Amino acid sequence: MLEGEFTGMTELYKLMPNFVPRPLSWGALKLSSPETYFFLVEFKHFNNELPDAAKLGAQVGELHKRSVSPTGMFGFGMPTYDGAKRQEIGWDPSWASMFAKLLKNAYEQDVKTNGIWKELEDVFDRTVSHLIPRLLGVLQDGQRTIKPCLIHGDMWEGNIGTDIENGDPWIFDCAAYYAHNEMEVGIWTAERHKLKAKAYKREYLRHIEPSEPEEEWEDRNRLYRTKTNFAYSADVPGSKPRQE
């Protein structure tokens, strides 16, 4: 679990050292039981105030512009975790295919925690069979292409600190992988997240325009946030995001 976070944070730091604290080390503690691990990063003096929208939008936009997938595909070279749950992020040239696997994995984890909800199961099956191919398939339909971008993967206000001295944002506790850049913003829009405020999307879009079809930007946001809602629900039994 921590190896994936260390590797993800390291890749983020290489691209954005003024946005990501430097990862130092990770490993196992000398305890026979229970197994216990550590993860060390450079100390940054920040508070938990909401990040400045303009600064966050600029930094996230630059991260997505600079990143280049080492395989040219979507995914990551090792498992990473969203909360306590492992993500399905094996390399895949198709974003629609990879997102379907990512979402299915998160849904199955939610069902394992909370049980089957027939109405939700029906909607989920329809989402995989019809909505994902329709909304995401067109992003790589032969006429259009999208770039695999390195994303933080769990960016919400709880994983962002504001520098005490200059107000710059710092991100941590990643669940990184190469994705459609809009996946990052979709996570912000979850109802429980304060980053859903319009200012954050507006500032991000000053640096990176929506993918085509542009008019389906908000629909893709809604689809992408279902993954973070399932992941949260799987970690927090009975939580409200399952109903969103």
Side-chain angles (χ1 to χ4, degrees), residues 43-95:
F43 176 78
K44 295 294 181 183
H45 194 188
F46 54 68
N47 58 37
N48 60 358
E49 292 180 1
L50 282 176
D52 178 271
K55 289 184 175 182
L56 184 67
Q59 291 284 59
V60 176
E62 190 62 28
L63 166 65
H64 293 165
K65 288 177 182 178
R66 291 183 185 181
S67 61
V68 177
S69 169
T71 64
M73 295 189 285
F74 302 93
F76 204 65
M78 66 174 57
T80 62
Y81 288 72
D82 187 350
K85 304 303 182 186
R86 178 169 169 161
Q87 302 187 112
E88 182 63 49
I89 51 173
W91 294 115
D92 196 318
S94 165
W95 171 240

Side-chain angles (χ1 to χ4, degrees), residues 31-47:
L31 294 176
S32 58
S33 180
E35 290 187 5
T36 307
Y37 297 84
F38 68 88
F39 173 41
L40 296 178
V41 298
E42 177 185 17
F43 176 78
K44 295 294 181 183
H45 194 188
F46 54 68
N47 58 37

Side-chain angles (χ1 to χ4, degrees), residues 8-9 35-36 48 51 63 65 110 136 138 144 172 183 186 193 196 221 234:
M9 286 288 288
E35 290 187 5
T36 307
N48 60 358
L63 166 65
K65 288 177 182 178
D110 171 64
L136 305 188
V138 298
R144 302 183 181 96
F172 51 91
M183 181 72 188
H193 292 164
K196 69 179 182 293
N221 280 185

Side-chain angles (χ1 to χ4, degrees), residues 23 65 102 115 118 123 129 149 158 200 204 227 233:
K65 288 177 182 178
L102 183 70
K118 185 61 170 62
V123 171
S129 64
C149 296
Y200 290 102
Y204 176 79
K227 188 273 177 185
S233 179

Side-chain angles (χ1 to χ4, degrees), residues 31-227:
L31 294 176
S32 58
S33 180
E35 290 187 5
T36 307
Y37 297 84
F38 68 88
F39 173 41
L40 296 178
V41 298
E42 177 185 17
F43 176 78
K44 295 294 181 183
H45 194 188
F46 54 68
N47 58 37
N48 60 358
E49 292 180 1
L50 282 176
D52 178 271
K55 289 184 175 182
L56 184 67
Q59 291 284 59
V60 176
E62 190 62 28
L63 166 65
H64 293 165
K65 288 177 182 178
R66 291 183 185 181
S67 61
V68 177
S69 169
T71 64
M73 295 189 285
F74 302 93
F76 204 65
M78 66 174 57
T80 62
Y81 288 72
D82 187 350
K85 304 303 182 186
R86 178 169 169 161
Q87 302 187 112
E88 182 63 49
I89 51 173
W91 294 115
D92 196 318
S94 165
W95 171 240
S97 170
M98 189 200 143
F99 181 78
K101 290 183 287 188
L102 183 70
L103 187 65
K104 181 180 179 182
N105 178 245
Y107 172 73
E108 290 173 346
Q109 291 167 343
D110 171 64
V111 169
K112 186 175 181 179
T113 297
N114 294 293
I116 293 176
W117 178 6
K118 185 61 170 62
E119 290 84 353
L120 178 60
E121 182 178 49
D122 291 343
V123 171
F124 174 78
D125 289 343
R126 184 76 175 177
T127 297
V128 173
S129 64
H130 289 74
L131 185 59
I132 291 176
R134 167 59 188 85
L135 271 184
L136 305 188
V138 298
L139 297 172
Q140 295 173 286
D141 63 359
Q143 297 179 339
R144 302 183 181 96
T145 61
I146 54 172
K147 169 192 167 184
C149 296
L150 184 62
I151 68 169
H152 175 281
D154 189 21
M155 192 182 295
W156 63 291
E157 60 273 9
N159 289 339
I160 306 173
T162 297
D163 194 286
I164 292 292
E165 294 184 358
N166 57 26
D168 288 345
W170 293 98
I171 59 173
F172 51 91
D173 196 16
C174 74
Y177 54 97
Y178 289 87
H180 182 208
N181 64 289
E182 293 176 9
M183 181 72 188
E184 196 95 89
V185 181
I187 294 168
W188 297 356
T189 66
E191 187 60 33
R192 65 189 179 280
H193 292 164
K194 294 179 181 179
L195 296 187
K196 69 179 182 293
K198 292 180 180 179
Y200 290 102
K201 289 193 291 185
R202 182 178 65 245
E203 292 299 329
Y204 176 79
L205 290 174
R206 292 183 188 275
H207 303 277
I208 296 187
E209 295 181 351
S211 298
E212 293 291 344
E214 182 175 347
E215 64 272 16
E216 294 178 357
W217 151 269
E218 292 291 355
D219 293 328
R220 293 191 295 267
N221 280 185
R222 295 184 187 97
L223 176 60
Y224 291 157
R225 71 172 172 247
T226 60
K227 188 273 177 185

